[in-house]
Amino acid sequence: MFEIKRSPWVLHYDGSSCNGCDIEVLACLTPVYDAERFGIINTGDPMQADILLITGGINSQNAPVVKQLYDQMPRPKVVCAVGVCACTGGIFKDCYNILGGADTVIPVDIYVPGCAARPQAIIDGIVKAVDLFEKRLEEHKQWVAEHENREKTDKSAAAKQPQKAQQPAGETAKAQSQNSAQRRSKNAKGRKTAKRRKK
Amino acid sequence: MKKRSIVPYGPQHPVLPEPIHLDLVIEDEKIVEAIPSVGFIHRGLENLVQKRDFNQMAYVAERVCGICSFGHGFGYCEAIEDIMDIEVPDRAKYLRTIWFELSRMHSHFLWLGLLADGFGFENLFYQCWRIREKILDVLELTTGGRVIFSVNKVGGVMKDITPEMAGAILDMLASVKKELKAIVPAFTQDYSVKSRLVGVGVLTKQQAHDLGCAGPFARASGIQTDMRKLGYAAYGDLDFDVITSNDGDSYARCVVRINEIFQSISIIEQAIEKMPDGELAAVVKGNPQGESFIRIEQPRGEAIYYVSANGSPHLDRMRVRTPTFANLAGLCETLKGADYADVGLLILTIDPCISCTER
Ligand code: SF4
């Protein structure tokens, strides 16, 4: 088992489930199964949630709701589909109003089977989700760091804007960026030569 | 005229276990009108009768709702048995009664917990759900499932309760009774709990009657309605009274449901004592033809099952009228004039089961 470093918050949404998986998810949070010992806590606010537990299939009425919830969650995020309804549509797959499992509208990372999914299986899914969340968080941090670096270089390029402004208008953006890149390398050379001169 | 504004409530909301959307017209902090819009969980499972035969539909019917799943499977099977004139063995009738009452108990405990969560008493919520797990353990022991049992079939039941299992049920009932008695004062006597419940969301007897409310919601307003008194399954042989209250407020609904748990315990004890030996299921031959109309008492109130068959394995039509559907009108009435802060609690007091309502 991995080491738990953080407390991801869980958002639970009932797609079009029959309630069976729904109450099992709730039962997981109560003292007998106590999924909160893995550091998770149940929240009602998508803006603060890290893991989305979704039960039930997708129909045309709730598809925009599910999509919106997913979009409102901050990155990184993990989605866990609980019950066969959320995995594939389950027993209701042939119903006219069911579009399919949760993965028809949002990317799903973890599938918990069962009808109804047993608390043990749900806890297993939650543990996997917490693990995946840790990994995603690391990746996300790296991504943020790279992004910040790039922003910094962009900013330093933007600081030399006055030179650019002297250039004749009408040049394409590509040419501009090429120019600025050339200029940057030129500057670098210039700096090098300056250094050499100092020597 | 004061300024009116519309506050959308749901479908995703912290106090709501299930998605329902309400548009609340409010004036200052008071609700003037509540307009529900439903359909978030509509699956269209009644239409599956065209793709599944009448035996398979028992499992689909069970999944109308996961909380009152036993009742839905039971109601559907009763309707088919009525059409085909099947005489269900007595032992099967008693077994069905026992399981039905066990699922009523777990549903009421679930509701008590959600209510406690609704008024912010987290500890009480956990206590209710901890006790509920004991009932689920017994259900798992006897049927093999925790929330979806699949023990009903057309003609009878598939599993038996052995004497050891019956002993386990009686033990569980005794301990649940004791633990429930310990937490009842928290609901009925606690000062802060009472301040959230007493006099909140009053529905008069006349209103409840006019709006056609059902189940504990109507009984708390003084209406004597309990379909179990029709005597289906083994209820005709068992001794119980209809529990009502005359206050019609949230407190009355809470008390009625708590008393119903004690009532269920006594019904199960009687049923286990009187249960005869015998077959578990009658033999089913041929296909149903005709139509039938069955009323049963679900944990949330009266549910109606209509089945129409044409002599082929596939039914023409199945229709379920669920108690929450009947109670939604009453809910909108109780919301009028309520404080905005009480909305979540009031929605909970009808014990909404949206997935039944929308199917
Ligand atoms: S998987 Fe089964 S229990 Fe879960 S929501 Fe679907 S039908 Fe209900």
Side-chain angles (χ1 to χ4, degrees):
Chain A
M1 185 117 172
F2 58 95
E3 191 185 337
I4 296 166
K5 301 200 194 86
R6 275 172 206 82
S7 304
W9 286 24
V10 168
L11 173 71
H12 167 222
Y13 185 72
D14 172 0
S16 62
S17 82
C18 78
N19 266 343
C21 292
D22 231 20
I23 54 177
E24 291 294 63
V25 167
L26 268 181
C28 279
L29 301 169
T30 55
V32 179
Y33 294 100
D34 197 15
E36 290 184 356
R37 70 200 134 118
F38 302 112
I40 64 155
I41 190 162
N42 192 19
T43 171
D45 184 0
M47 308 256 192
Q48 296 175 355
D50 304 304
I51 297 172
L52 174 64
L53 289 183
I54 180 159
T55 53
I58 300 294
N59 62 27
S60 41
Q61 178 96 337
N62 72 24
V65 180
V66 172
K67 243 186 254 171
Q68 191 190 14
L69 283 178
Y70 181 78
D71 290 341
Q72 281 177 339
M73 286 167 63
R75 271 187 289 181
K77 45 195 161 191
V78 176
V79 179
C80 179
V82 177
V84 284
C85 279
C87 294
T88 64
I91 190 165
F92 307 122
K93 198 172 182 186
D94 295 337
C95 291
Y96 58 85
N97 201 28
I98 291 287
L99 305 176
D103 50 9
T104 45
V105 288
I106 54 173
V108 175
D109 302 301
I110 289 152
Y111 297 84
V112 178
C115 178
R118 297 181 64 82
Q120 289 88 337
I122 298 176
I123 288 177
D124 200 27
I126 290 177
V127 169
K128 290 212 164 85
V130 172
D131 193 18
L132 189 64
F133 176 72
E134 296 269 334
K135 277 181 202 143
R136 292 245 165 107
L137 195 66
E138 289 307 314
E139 285 168 18
H140 185 69
K141 274 185 186 162
Q142 272 179 11
W143 182 84
V144 169
E146 276 169 25
H147 199 74
E148 273 175 355
N149 274 343
R150 212 179 305 148
E151 258 179 12
K152 264 182 210 157
T153 49
D154 283 357
K155 263 183 200 159
S156 59
K160 287 159 197 156
Q161 274 284 335
Q163 291 180 5
K164 228 186 239 173
Q166 287 164 6
Q167 288 191 351
E171 261 185 295
T172 59
K174 203 180 165 191
Q176 266 188 13
S177 64
Q178 269 178 356
N179 272 348
S180 62
Q182 280 171 4
R183 217 176 301 125
R184 227 177 286 146
S185 57
K186 259 187 212 164
N187 283 349
K189 270 181 201 163
R191 244 177 270 137
K192 267 179 205 164
T193 46
K195 267 183 198 167
R196 253 179 241 148
R197 264 178 221 150
K198 264 183 198 168
K199 274 180 190 172
Chain B
M1 196 178 121
K2 284 185 208 154
K3 191 170 172 287
R4 288 191 173 185
S5 34
I6 297 182
V7 181
Y9 197 88
Q12 196 273 333
H13 193 279
V15 296
L16 298 177
E18 291 177 88
I20 178 170
H21 181 86
L22 289 171
D23 280 318
L24 302 171
V25 184
I26 59 171
E27 241 176 44
D28 294 341
E29 285 277 290
K30 295 267 179 234
I31 313 283
V32 184
E33 203 183 354
I35 306 157
S37 62
V38 291
F40 292 95
I41 324 190
H42 179 61
R43 291 151 280 174
L45 67 81
E46 287 172 357
N47 188 260
L48 275 184
V49 290
Q50 296 174 352
K51 293 172 184 150
R52 308 267 186 275
D53 72 27
F54 73 96
N55 283 317
Q56 294 169 332
M57 270 312 278
Y59 306 114
V60 178
E62 200 163 30
R63 284 159 177 86
V64 168
C65 168
I67 306 176
C68 27
S69 58
F70 187 85
H72 285 298
F74 170 81
Y76 170 80
C77 291
E78 282 262 305
I80 297 282
E81 285 152 10
D82 184 42
I83 293 177
M84 299 176 78
D85 273 334
I86 297 171
E87 188 52 44
V88 179
D90 278 345
R91 188 172 176 87
K93 284 185 179 169
Y94 273 84
L95 288 170
R96 282 178 172 181
T97 308
I98 292 170
W99 279 319
F100 207 145
E101 288 307 313
L102 282 173
S103 68
R104 187 184 316 276
M105 280 172 74
H106 102 69
S107 169
H108 279 358
F109 266 111
L110 178 137
W111 179 82
L112 283 175
L114 290 181
L115 181 76
D117 194 38
F119 53 63
F121 202 151
E122 203 77 355
N123 189 335
L124 201 52
F125 165 57
Y126 283 155
Q127 290 295 342
C128 293
W129 280 60
R130 183 180 57 77
I131 302 174
R132 177 176 167 268
E133 284 295 329
K134 295 191 173 179
I135 304 167
L136 291 187
D137 284 347
V138 160
L139 280 170
E140 191 176 353
L141 176 76
T142 50
T143 68
R146 279 167 52 88
V147 289
I148 303 279
F149 313 117
S150 304
V151 282
N152 269 315
K153 70 173 177 183
V154 176
V157 293
M158 292 198 250
K159 291 201 173 127
D160 197 5
I161 292 184
T162 60
E164 299 87 64
M165 289 176 182
I169 295 178
L170 290 175
D171 288 349
M172 180 280 292
L173 290 179
S175 83
V176 164
K177 207 177 194 172
K178 205 170 120 220
E179 294 192 30
L180 179 60
K181 276 196 182 133
I183 61 165
V184 165
F187 281 105
T188 56
Q189 282 158 29
D190 191 280
Y191 171 76
S192 13
V193 172
K194 267 179 135 177
S195 72
R196 288 300 305 271
L197 297 179
V198 176
V200 175
V202 177
L203 189 75
T204 61
K205 185 171 181 179
Q206 190 58 41
Q207 281 174 328
H209 180 265
D210 292 349
L211 296 168
C213 297
F217 189 55
R219 289 199 280 274
S221 294
I223 294 186
Q224 295 260 348
T225 159
D226 193 333
M227 292 309 126
R228 288 179 286 178
K229 282 287 174 198
L230 293 177
Y232 58 82
Y235 287 111
D237 307 343
L238 305 172
D239 176 36
F240 64 98
D241 297 323
V242 181
I243 293 172
T244 55
S245 163
N246 290 321
D247 300 340
D249 58 356
S250 304
Y251 183 75
R253 288 165 211 150
C254 180
V255 172
V256 164
R257 287 195 177 97
I258 289 175
N259 287 334
E260 281 185 11
I261 299 179
F262 287 119
Q263 184 188 44
S264 294
I265 293 178
S266 113
I267 292 179
I268 298 171
E269 282 169 352
Q270 291 176 41
I272 288 183
E273 197 183 308
K274 288 190 185 168
M275 189 159 61
D277 287 334
E279 290 290 305
L280 291 182
V283 185
V284 180
K285 279 196 205 114
N287 296 322
Q289 182 157 26
E291 47 179 12
S292 172
F293 206 71
I294 292 286
R295 304 156 78 193
I296 62 166
E297 184 74 15
Q298 286 277 26
R300 284 158 188 75
E302 174 190 355
I304 301 172
Y305 299 82
Y306 168 76
V307 170
S308 152
N310 55 6
S312 77
H314 296 274
L315 304 175
D316 270 344
R317 182 82 168 96
M318 169 177 110
R319 169 92 177 96
V320 187
R321 202 290 318 253
T322 59
T324 306
F325 182 74
N327 285 341
L328 273 181
L331 170 69
C332 293
E333 193 61 37
T334 54
L335 281 175
K336 280 181 195 159
D339 278 334
Y340 181 72
D342 284 331
V343 173
L345 197 73
L346 284 178
I347 295 179
L348 283 179
T349 57
I350 73 159
D351 198 357
C353 181
I354 311 298
S355 80
C356 290
T357 313
E358 303 180 347
R359 302 180 294 282

